[in-house]
Amino acid sequence: MIKAFKATDNDYTSNGDIIIKPISAVITKNTEDEYIEVEAPLKYAEFLIQDNILIVDTLTGKKGYQIFNPKTGRTAIVKGRLIYQENQPEPADRGAVISYGKNLIDCNVSENWDDVVTKIIPIGYNEATLPEGYLSVTTPHQRVYEKTVEFGLSESIEDNIESLETAIDSGITLVADLQNFKTVLENRISACDMAVSNLEADISVLQIRYNALGTSEPELKEKAVIIAQISEINTEISSLEANKSANQVVLTQTISDLSTAQASLSNLQSEYSDLIITDLRSQAQAYLNDNIYPHINYDLDAHLTGVVEVGDTVKVKHERLNIDMLAYVTSYQYDCTTSKFNNIQFGTQRTTLKSKISGIEQNIKSVSDSVKGANSLLEQLANQFILKVDSNGKIGLFKLSSDASGSQILIKADNINIEGIVTANEYFKVLEDGSIEAVNGTFKGRIIASTFIGGAIESDNYQPNVSGMKIYLSDGTIDSKHFKVNSDGSVAITGGAINIETGSDSTSVITLKFGTKIMRVTPTSITSYNETTDKTIGISNSGSEAYIYFFDGEENVMQLSTQRIYMPNRPIVCSEITVGGYEPITPANKNNFTYPPSSHNQNISSITGLTDILNNLSSRISTLEGA
């Protein structure tokens, strides 16, 4: 039955404007298109006009066709494109059977041997090949059909392969960086060994010279210089050994990290290779299975029971090959006046269908908006696909489109949840655990993290020796214009003063160490001493008076202030010290003297022979500094 409806109608449950009794009505369908051709008496011409709808009863239920380009003459002739179907057809095996080689009336058969293969040599992604080289079956034909066939990746593994390639690239970079760093550390250790060897040679030369010197005053002075030089060289050797030890610790960890990275990279590469090979073998085996036999196409000008839709299965009994072959319907012509097929085409090679809803269904105009309570709208335009969902007055939009600038995707909703791994090209990923992987990134504002792992931190205005700062995390180097910390621990400060502030507590201490030489600064004193000899020069301001003192490791040698000179158990080199109005100090009372005497309150007016005392002090200071 064929019923005519107006273009504006959307309820097809009635008999419409009229029931058409056609002269002929044939539905043609293939994998790309479906349409109806109707010829009817002229009395129906006023109903068979542009855009009107024809509802037709078919083997799969009611279908609607929209009229285009109508013609009138002795009869009315129209075509209509499919825009509506009551039921969605599903391809199936409905028991249709024919026998190949029999004298079937009105059946044309053609064989295609172009793709027949019984031995396949597959070439896969990135020129991958099977370890065994090929796949084969025992040929059912008179000879072996061998082919080399190229395959791409299966769509199901493309994302995994892309992720593995990214991980492998990162692994290769990491291994290369660790290998380079290992080489740098080995060179540093070797340089330390060489420097220590050279310094030890210098000590040997100095020791030989020292042993050759005698006991004269010039020779004793040279010996003292040599001892000081040897001490400084030993300090430098100790520093080099400490540096070498630190580098050896880092080298051990780097070698461990390198081994772990190489093992991880090897595992990734094996997984990558196995995935490609497994996919290649699977595709090659499927191709081989589908092409062992020739593709046979049938063109039958008759009705065939068991067929209702494109994609349905037809079993073909092939006596010569001694097999039952499966063929699939690729097109048909259906006579609506007899409810039978005029023509059916099917073949053993399944034609790729765009989907279970074939390409023609994508042009179906939605009529669901006429149903009460409908809450969705699907629009298919030439260059857009839009899905709108209306829930409680709110619109969610998913839109795919393309124009001259390329393709676009737009998603609008109150809440958007994306499950699984999200990838933008190969450069940005959001992983399932919420972590982010990116090749580069620019972040504005604050970054808060419990751990930062990287190679360097750099200010946006950094220029070496000009502006900004850069911190190299791999070796601890800090670089700025006026402040630098080198990887060996040395610090360089230029262009300004050094201000060091501690608490006001009297116990606060600043300590500077130069080998065995140590300087300590407290709120009340400055002290410089030799860690080896314990000889000390100091300035104290802790009591009622400020003074300078000298210490030889066992006892005070001298204290010097504005009020007194104190020298316990030390000789006075001058013969007499005379201060106007007071008792002279002579060699007889030279020890343990304090000036002025406690019995006098007058100020010191002059000291005769003070030059000798100062010369003596100068000599002692020189001796302490040399220590």
Side-chain angles (χ1 to χ4, degrees), residues 67-138:
I67 295 172
F68 67 95
N69 296 338
K71 297 178 181 179
T72 57
R74 293 183 178 181
T75 58
I77 300 173
V78 298
K79 284 187 176 182
R81 296 188 184 92
L82 178 70
I83 63 164
Y84 162 79
Q85 50 191 8
E86 183 180 38
N87 301 310
Q88 174 59 52
E90 295 286 346
D93 185 349
R94 309 177 201 277
V97 180
I98 66 168
S99 295
Y100 179 83
K102 301 297 183 181
N103 293 324
L104 297 176
I105 299 175
D106 299 325
C107 184
N108 296 316
V109 182
S110 62
E111 295 183 4
N112 185 342
W113 288 72
D114 291 345
D115 294 326
V116 172
V117 58
T118 57
K119 179 181 179 181
I120 184 172
I121 302 171
I123 307 295
Y125 179 69
N126 281 347
E127 304 299 319
T129 58
L130 298 178
E132 62 271 32
Y134 65 89
L135 298 176
S136 65
V137 296
T138 302

Side-chain angles (χ1 to χ4, degrees), residues 135-196:
L135 298 176
S136 65
V137 296
T138 302
T139 181
H141 313 300
Q142 297 183 59
R143 67 180 180 88
V144 173
Y145 287 80
E146 180 178 316
K147 283 183 178 295
T148 298
V149 182
E150 294 185 358
F151 296 92
L153 287 174
S154 295
E155 185 176 353
S156 60
I157 70 165
E158 286 181 350
D159 290 342
N160 286 343
I161 290 296
E162 184 178 356
S163 297
L164 285 170
E165 286 176 339
T166 301
I168 287 171
D169 289 343
S170 298
I172 291 173
T173 300
L174 177 60
V175 167
D177 289 345
L178 289 171
Q179 287 174 332
N180 291 337
F181 190 42
K182 175 175 172 286
T183 300
V184 169
L185 291 170
E186 289 172 339
N187 290 339
R188 288 178 182 175
I189 292 171
S190 177
C192 285
D193 288 336
M194 183 176 295
V196 168

Side-chain angles (χ1 to χ4, degrees), residues 157-404:
I157 70 165
E158 286 181 350
D159 290 342
N160 286 343
I161 290 296
E162 184 178 356
S163 297
L164 285 170
E165 286 176 339
T166 301
I168 287 171
D169 289 343
S170 298
I172 291 173
T173 300
L174 177 60
V175 167
D177 289 345
L178 289 171
Q179 287 174 332
N180 291 337
F181 190 42
K182 175 175 172 286
T183 300
V184 169
L185 291 170
E186 289 172 339
N187 290 339
R188 288 178 182 175
I189 292 171
S190 177
C192 285
D193 288 336
M194 183 176 295
V196 168
S197 178
N198 292 337
L199 290 172
E200 288 175 341
D202 291 344
I203 289 176
S204 297
V205 172
L206 289 172
Q207 193 65 51
I208 291 172
R209 174 58 182 167
Y210 182 89
N211 294 336
L213 294 173
T215 58
S216 66
E217 184 175 352
E219 288 175 314
L220 289 175
K221 289 182 178 179
E222 185 176 352
K223 278 187 175 184
V225 171
I226 290 174
I227 290 174
Q229 289 176 332
I230 291 175
S231 176
E232 291 178 357
I233 292 174
N234 281 328
T235 299
E236 188 172 352
I237 289 174
S238 297
S239 177
L240 287 169
E241 292 290 356
N243 192 15
K244 174 185 175 181
S245 178
N247 279 293
Q248 284 175 328
V249 171
V250 177
L251 177 60
T252 300
Q253 184 60 49
T254 300
I255 291 173
S256 175
D257 292 343
L258 176 59
S259 177
T260 301
Q262 288 172 328
S264 177
L265 177 60
S266 178
N267 291 337
L268 287 171
Q269 290 171 329
S270 296
E271 182 182 355
Y272 177 78
S273 177
D274 290 346
L275 190 57
I276 290 175
I277 295 300
T278 300
D279 179 61
L280 177 61
R281 181 179 286 107
S282 175
Q283 290 191 72
Q285 188 64 59
Y287 186 92
L288 183 62
N289 294 342
D290 288 343
N291 293 282
I292 296 174
Y293 300 101
H295 299 304
I296 304 174
N297 296 314
Y298 302 85
D299 190 342
L300 178 63
D301 291 329
H303 184 75
L304 182 61
T305 302
V307 171
V308 299
E309 190 53 65
V310 168
D312 280 356
T313 301
V314 178
K315 184 180 293 184
V316 180
K317 295 184 177 295
H318 200 301
E319 294 181 359
R320 178 167 60 83
L321 296 177
N322 195 29
I323 59 170
D324 290 343
M325 306 177 72
L326 297 181
Y328 304 94
V329 175
T330 57
S331 70
Y332 63 71
Q333 289 182 347
Y334 176 76
D335 190 336
C336 301
T337 61
T338 63
S339 298
K340 290 186 177 181
F341 293 107
N342 292 338
N343 176 270
I344 300 176
Q345 294 182 13
F346 49 95
T348 55
Q349 183 176 19
R350 183 191 294 268
T351 302
T352 301
L353 302 179
K354 291 183 177 178
S355 65
K356 289 184 178 180
I357 303 176
S358 62
I360 54 171
E361 275 77 41
Q362 295 185 30
N363 297 318
I364 297 176
K365 179 181 179 182
S366 174
V367 295
S368 61
D369 54 358
S370 65
V371 181
K372 291 183 179 180
N375 60 0
S376 65
L377 174 63
L378 180 66
E379 298 179 5
Q380 172 76 51
L381 304 176
N383 62 349
Q384 295 187 15
F385 179 83
I386 303 174
L387 174 63
K388 298 179 180 178
V389 180
D390 186 357
S391 175
N392 298 324
K394 295 183 179 180
I395 298 296
L397 175 65
F398 179 88
K399 177 180 178 181
L400 293 173
S401 61
S402 63
D403 54 27

Side-chain angles (χ1 to χ4, degrees), residues 530 533 535-537 549-553 557 619-627:
N530 189 309
T533 63
K535 294 184 178 181
T536 305
I537 300 174
Y549 65 92
F550 306 90
F551 184 74
D552 66 359
V557 175
S619 174
R620 290 179 179 277
I621 291 171
S622 298
T623 302
L624 287 171
E625 288 178 342

